[in-house]
Amino acid sequence: MKRLATLAAAIGLALPLAGTGVAHAEPPPPAGASVQWIDRTTVAWPKGLGDPAHPHHLLHDGGRFTLTPTPGGLTPAQRTKYPHLAGYDAYRVTATPDQERAALRGALTAVTGDVATGVQIPGVLDDLYAATAAKAALGPSFREGRPTLSLWAPTARNVALELDGRTVPMHRDDASGIWRATGTRAWTGKPYRYAVTVHAPAAGKVVTNHVTDPYSTALTADSARSIVTDLAAPALAPAGWRTLRKPKAVPLRNAQIQELHIRDFSSGSGGSGKGGYLAFTDPSSSGMRHLKSLADAGTSYVHLLPAFDFATVPEKRADQATPPCDLAALPADSDRQQDCTGRTAARDAYNWGYDPLHYTVPEGSYASDPDGPGRTLEFRRMVQGLAGAGLRTVMDVVYNHTAASGQDDKSVLDRIVPGYYQRLLDDGSVATSTCCSGTAPEHAMMGKLVVDSVVTWAKEYKVDGFRFDLMGHHPKANILAVRKALDALTPARDGVDGKSVILYGEGWNFGEAANDARFVQATQKNMAGTGIATFSDRARDAVRGGGPFDADPRLQGFASGLFTDPNGAPQGTPADQRARLLHAQDLVKVGLTGNLAGYRFTDSAGRSVRGADVDYNGSPAGYAAAPGDALAYADAHDNETLYDALAFKLPQATSPADRARMQVLAMATAALSQGPALSQAGTDRLRSKSLDRNSYDSGDWFNAIQWDCAAGNGFGRGLPPARDNAAKWDYARPLLADPALKAGCGPVEAASAAYRDLLRIRTTEKAFGLATTASVQEALSFPLSGPDETPGVVTMRLGGLVVVLNATPQRQDQRIAALAGRPCALHPVQAAGADEAVKTAACAPATGTFTVPARTVAVFKAG
């Protein structure tokens, strides 16, 4: 989850309008919006809200609808569709569709006795309009060069098109609720907005909102206006775009992914100097040379943090502030760097971008000129540049929330159809469990927006994959609809093979949608078997130690010295630590299988268990139905970088060389697992953010990747911002002040080269890319697992390979009796590779003994 600044605007209370034309007592102002109009004939009314013996009504601008109690409450089908309303009373609405459509274009109040409340309307809007509207094209569309602009605004009283300084009327289709205007070729390239006259509960009155197009294909600077733009226009296609040949598609179960923020990539030492999208078009830059080296070793995808239009960065470079301090001159453990960068954080050029404004337009701050569709051209050039380096492109997409809601200037969807696109809680307030104003992809037209947007990125920008932020807040059905729509894209008709596009996301289970409260979620357990992966936190926490939100960041794990190299923090007795380490090793083993629920092995206590039987904080560790359902990682943009986590957790006296070795070992637990793996860009180069656990708005100073190792690795750039880190400053100060923890070129280059060797092994040995649980069960085993296994060592046999992960500070012998008398040797890639220590790893064929140096992962050909 992102700890973003509070962006959600509060939803106000719906107020009744006087003069309804029907004589009745004036009700008190409604409190929230607790009643839900779920379909044409049914209102769901909370039990205990008012006296059920009193008459119930829906008041609207033209009068009122009488509500009739429905014995037995909601039907079984309605309870299935709205599980969170299963205990509500049901009332029948007696009105014609035309009467209901008219009522929905004004204020609605549910009343009984002295109770009055606003009314939630997404369900009835879907029932009345979605069957037709969901099939329609929205936003700009072109026919023989003539544009048509289409906006879904069923509750609007009027919509007018503000085009290039003049107002053009739009026409409403009553069946779909879509307003349209068709123009001449001269409209192309013109800026526009919609003037939407609508009752806004947040304002308590009818307002006219001047709003950009949620289906925009281009924007002016700072998203002030949409631009009438045809993405198929030849002027927006860089040379070679139509015939661009991508690197061969890699199945998701074999994907090796680099997660990268566009500005981080180019703003540090050794960057291209071009910044933004064009940084990926310079093959001679340090960053592109490094990406090319990773691609040559087996990395297949670059995952871009949000590159759609987001709300928090001034897009014109002249408007972007820079910190007014000599940051480099300040002490490594000073609090002045974070104070200085914090003064300009709201106005600088930096943000992760998890605050969507327009879902289907490239972000303007990454473009040379944010004014107009030039950003489309440069985004496409970026995709070309990555393809030229041998890499396919993944986009991080954030459809689970918006930057704001209600009448806020940064609210787009909610100012067009108030109360529809945002997910409302039972009282009518907007859900904010995602950090910001949550959206409701369970509603037909929000779900359609998700599908349409993803398809546009795939077709028009040749994006090869999508990572869904907080995917567990989407219905599983919505994500499967995305998969179905992509699968329908063909090279002959659409220019892309949609079946090769990969999908993965955060399947976390929390908030108002948790435990399938509102729909079957796209969570870890529910997405198993779909071919859509979810991030697995199981092995991540076991490898790093502790959890992301520990008050004491020194809690150790498998790759940070738990029991075998204690750091002096209070972590229980040695026996306690040993037991925790052995359990962590079981979690690592489950991770190496691809987090398979059904994989059977002997755990560290000697019991025969399945992956699903291993405990992870009260949940099953194994949840995948097949390799590819779970995505392995040791670090990502959230939480401390791997280097920073190890800085907190390893004994402070650990040498830079040994820190690098533990970093490689931690990365190996993901890279050598079944299924896909992701690594944060720069992690192989020991990237640090100076211990910042949430750097979404910490600026270039804390975030930039240092491609030039002579400039350090980012460690010691001052105490991280107080906003999310002050509670850990006492732990951080002595570390940041220690010059030995600022990694130099030796450890950086050694770690990177060793990681690339592991990538070569992972992507050339077919045994790491098994397709089914059965094949993994047959080929993969942990022959030394049980009560006598070595604490700090995991030994895996995989087909004709033996992998030994020795996380201890000592050389270790691992004897596999079944391999006695069989030939064995260090894998040729490591034998001829960059790591001199691993070259001392040995095997004794006579006894089946594998000897591995301290803090080393070694792969052997055996048997």
Side-chain angles (χ1 to χ4, degrees):
M1 296 185 295
K2 315 301 176 295
R3 297 290 197 269
L4 303 184
T6 302
L7 296 170
I11 293 295
L13 304 181
L15 301 175
L17 296 181
T20 61
V22 176
H24 57 80
E26 186 69 21
S34 300
V35 165
Q36 302 196 32
W37 193 355
I38 62 172
D39 59 36
R40 243 189 13 87
T41 62
T42 310
V43 165
W45 195 290
K47 284 186 183 297
L49 181 65
D51 187 341
H54 286 168
H56 288 55
H57 298 94
L58 285 185
L59 305 186
H60 56 88
D61 289 359
R64 69 184 183 184
F65 299 139
T66 298
L67 303 178
T68 306
T70 302
L74 301 179
T75 68
Q78 289 170 334
R79 291 187 186 119
T80 298
K81 186 172 183 179
Y82 300 100
H84 61 300
L85 304 181
Y88 279 44
D89 290 329
Y91 287 81
R92 183 173 181 81
V93 183
T94 303
T96 68
D98 285 345
Q99 289 172 327
E100 292 177 337
R101 289 187 179 100
L104 287 161
R105 296 171 76 179
L108 286 170
T109 307
V111 297
T112 180
D114 60 357
V115 170
T117 181
V119 181
Q120 298 185 33
I121 60 174
V124 68
L125 290 180
D126 280 349
D127 196 16
L128 289 169
Y129 296 106
T132 303
K135 301 173 186 175
L138 297 175
S141 59
F142 289 78
R143 185 172 182 179
E144 297 179 353
R146 295 187 63 195
T148 295
L149 301 176
S150 303
L151 178 73
W152 189 67
T155 61
R157 299 185 177 196
N158 187 60
V159 179
L161 173 65
E162 297 177 341
L163 180 78
D164 197 29
R166 62 193 177 96
T167 301
V168 177
M170 300 186 77
H171 304 285
R172 185 182 195 272
D173 173 56
D174 286 340
S176 64
I178 294 173
W179 299 74
R180 294 185 176 93
T182 298
T184 68
R185 293 172 184 265
W187 282 18
T188 302
K190 303 297 185 185
Y192 72 97
R193 290 188 309 185
Y194 299 115
V196 182
T197 302
V198 66
H199 180 269
K205 62 183 179 180
V206 174
V207 297
T208 296
N209 288 323
H210 303 273
V211 193
T212 47
D213 192 339
Y215 274 74
S216 294
T217 51
L219 295 160
T220 61
D222 295 320
S223 312
R225 299 286 191 281
S226 304
I227 299 176
V228 182
T229 301
D230 183 1
L231 293 177
L236 297 182
W241 179 248
R242 304 298 179 197
T243 57
L244 176 63
R245 293 179 65 87
K246 287 291 189 80
K248 185 179 178 181
V250 175
L252 178 57
R253 70 176 184 274
N254 288 329
Q256 297 293 308
I257 303 165
Q258 279 279 300
E259 182 202 57
L260 184 152
H261 184 273
I262 290 172
R263 189 168 178 89
D264 293 355
F265 176 74
S266 59
S267 61
S269 62
S272 69
K274 292 184 177 181
Y277 304 123
L278 294 183
F280 299 89
T281 66
D282 180 3
S284 66
S285 72
S286 299
M288 283 305 294
R289 289 202 309 270
H290 187 65
L291 287 184
K292 179 68 165 61
S293 73
L294 289 171
D296 291 344
T299 296
S300 41
Y301 293 88
V302 161
H303 159 158
L304 301 171
L305 265 66
F308 51 74
D309 180 59
F310 53 83
T312 41
V313 170
E315 291 188 338
K316 295 180 181 178
R317 294 183 183 179
D319 296 335
Q320 296 168 354
T322 55
C325 310
D326 184 359
L327 299 172
L330 297 173
D333 60 346
S334 170
D335 63 358
R336 292 173 60 193
Q337 293 96 326
Q338 63 88 32
D339 177 68
C340 185
T341 57
R343 290 181 227 162
T344 55
R347 297 175 289 115
D348 68 6
Y350 195 89
N351 200 283
W352 279 350
Y354 289 93
D355 51 337
L357 198 52
H358 297 87
Y359 288 117
T360 323
V361 181
E363 164 60 18
S365 67
Y366 296 143
S368 301
D369 181 0
D371 233 339
R375 54 176 93 176
T376 290
L377 183 68
E378 292 189 2
F379 190 105
R380 288 170 168 173
R381 288 186 63 193
M382 172 181 66
V383 172
Q384 281 181 310
L386 288 169
L391 295 159
R392 295 168 74 88
T393 303
V394 170
M395 277 188 71
D396 199 327
V397 288
V398 188
Y399 299 109
N400 65 82
H401 61 251
T402 53
S405 59
Q407 288 297 106
D408 191 284
D409 287 344
K410 298 294 187 183
S411 170
V412 176
L413 295 169
D414 209 25
R415 288 196 292 152
I416 295 170
V417 192
Y420 178 83
Y421 286 103
Q422 314 295 156
R423 181 175 297 141
L424 304 182
L425 300 177
D426 291 346
D427 64 358
S429 61
V430 175
T432 58
S433 64
T434 60
C435 83
C436 311
S437 298
T439 60
E442 64 269 28
H443 301 160
M445 299 303 286
M446 183 63 211
K448 171 182 167 62
L449 176 55
V450 173
V451 173
D452 290 349
S453 177
V454 168
V455 167
T456 298
W457 286 113
K459 281 181 60 175
E460 304 296 347
Y461 292 91
K462 302 188 180 183
V463 172
D464 306 294
F466 298 90
R467 177 266 195 192
F468 284 83
D469 182 68
L470 299 184
M471 189 169 70
H473 273 59
H474 287 253
K476 177 181 178 179
N478 178 233
I479 303 301
L480 293 181
V482 170
R483 180 74 272 168
K484 182 178 179 181
L486 289 171
D487 288 348
L489 301 179
T490 66
R493 186 181 64 244
D494 306 294
V496 296
D497 175 12
K499 289 185 174 66
S500 71
V501 175
I502 64 171
L503 299 179
Y504 57 97
E506 293 180 303
W508 315 135
N509 178 36
F510 69 96
E512 72 286 345
N515 303 316
D516 300 330
R518 291 174 174 250
F519 42 76
V520 176
Q521 301 163 263
T523 48
Q524 289 171 323
K525 70 181 182 69
N526 289 343
M527 296 308 290
T530 64
I532 298 167
T534 54
F535 284 82
S536 173
D537 43 358
R538 277 68 167 152
R540 176 203 69 186
D541 288 353
V543 167
R544 290 163 69 105
F549 309 113
D550 295 330
D552 187 339
R554 298 174 296 170
L555 299 180
Q556 292 176 286
F558 174 73
S560 56
L562 178 61
F563 178 66
T564 65
D565 196 12
N567 59 18
Q571 301 182 81
T573 67
D576 292 335
Q577 293 187 42
R578 184 181 189 277
R580 289 205 344 263
L581 174 58
L582 291 176
H583 183 68
Q585 290 177 201
D586 287 338
L587 291 171
V588 170
K589 294 167 201 166
V590 174
L592 289 168
T593 73
N595 255 83
L596 296 173
Y599 177 84
R600 188 165 288 281
F601 71 107
T602 300
D603 71 5
S604 57
R607 299 167 299 196
S608 177
V609 297
R610 300 168 306 138
D613 299 326
V614 178
D615 177 71
Y616 172 73
N617 297 333
S619 296
Y623 63 82
D629 286 347
L631 184 144
Y633 69 116
D635 80 340
H637 65 277
D638 279 327
N639 311 311
E640 291 91 351
T641 68
L642 180 56
Y643 185 87
D644 287 345
L646 295 179
F648 276 129
K649 296 171 188 297
L650 288 170
Q652 186 170 340
T654 306
S655 71
D658 282 341
R659 290 180 182 277
R661 301 195 68 77
M662 294 300 274
Q663 181 114 344
V664 173
L665 186 138
M667 297 177 75
T669 62
L672 299 183
S673 68
Q674 300 292 318
L678 175 142
S679 175
Q680 183 175 196
T683 292
D684 64 303
R685 298 183 64 79
L686 309 185
R687 179 187 182 183
S688 169
K689 297 180 185 178
S690 205
L691 304 177
D692 191 350
R693 62 165 298 270
N694 187 24
S695 67
Y696 78 91
D697 200 22
S698 299
D700 295 330
W701 180 250
F702 289 98
N703 281 287
I705 302 173
Q706 305 302 321
W707 298 114
D708 180 0
C709 60
N713 65 333
F715 195 84
R717 298 198 140 218
L719 286 165
R723 176 192 62 243
D724 290 297
N725 302 282
K728 297 180 183 177
W729 275 3
D730 287 344
Y731 298 111
R733 281 191 180 93
L735 301 173
L736 294 172
D738 186 347
L741 269 69
K742 183 182 289 188
C745 284
V748 166
E749 299 297 352
S752 184
Y755 173 67
R756 292 197 301 274
D757 285 345
L758 293 176
L759 280 179
R760 291 185 183 94
I761 294 171
R762 167 62 177 86
T763 54
T764 57
E765 293 286 355
K766 293 183 179 180
F768 286 107
L770 302 174
T772 66
T773 295
S775 59
V776 175
Q777 188 73 65
E778 181 180 1
L780 190 155
S781 64
F782 301 100
L784 303 183
S785 186
D788 297 326
E789 71 181 86
T790 307
V793 182
V794 171
T795 299
M796 175 175 71
R797 188 177 177 188
L798 178 62
L801 302 173
V802 170
V803 179
V804 180
L805 298 153
N806 177 12
T808 75
Q810 297 86 29
R811 195 171 185 86
Q812 297 286 352
D813 293 335
Q814 298 286 284
R815 182 174 181 271
I816 304 175
L819 292 178
R822 300 191 185 184
C824 59
L826 187 65
H827 195 285
V829 169
Q830 287 189 313
D835 183 0
E836 294 301 321
V838 79
K839 293 178 184 179
T840 69
C843 64
T847 60
T849 300
F850 299 84
T851 302
V852 178
R855 301 184 174 100
T856 296
V857 52
V859 183
F860 299 87
K861 292 272 194 177

